[in-house]
Amino acid sequence: MRTADYSWYKQNLASLHEEYGDKYIAIKDEKVLGSFDSYAEGVRITSQTLPLGSFIVQKCGADESAYTCMISSMNFMG
């Protein structure tokens, strides 16, 4: 896992968003490798030069909603 890169991304989200807007960014060793219009594009292009698993691709955003997801389900029992 790239936990150090993910932690760096979260700590620097505000400044990353200032620089890259709402793009997806590829990160390795706490450095931005590139910015992309979609997650798939970020993975596809970055994996042409680096092996999968050696980098992360994250969405830039103005706040923590860029890296959080809420999933809910409603179960009805009879």
Side-chain angles (χ1 to χ4, degrees):
M1 293 228 11
R2 309 286 315 168
T3 54
D5 287 334
Y6 184 69
S7 294
W8 178 84
Y9 154 78
K10 286 180 20 179
Q11 291 170 354
N12 294 284
L13 184 58
S15 61
L16 291 168
H17 185 257
E18 272 186 36
E19 186 168 349
Y20 299 102
D22 291 327
K23 298 277 191 171
Y24 290 82
I25 54 173
I27 302 167
K28 179 177 179 160
D29 298 330
E30 300 179 5
K31 292 182 176 66
V32 175
L33 305 173
S35 65
F36 308 94
D37 292 327
S38 71
Y39 176 83
E41 179 185 32
V43 171
R44 182 177 50 77
I45 291 174
T46 307
S47 66
Q48 290 174 357
T49 57
L50 294 170
L52 291 173
S54 69
F55 61 91
I56 63 172
V57 175
Q58 293 292 147
K59 170 93 168 149
C60 275
D63 57 33
E64 69 182 26
S65 66
Y67 60 85
T68 57
C69 178
M70 178 180 228
I71 300 171
S72 63
S73 67
M74 301 204 41
N75 292 321
F76 295 97
M77 298 181 72

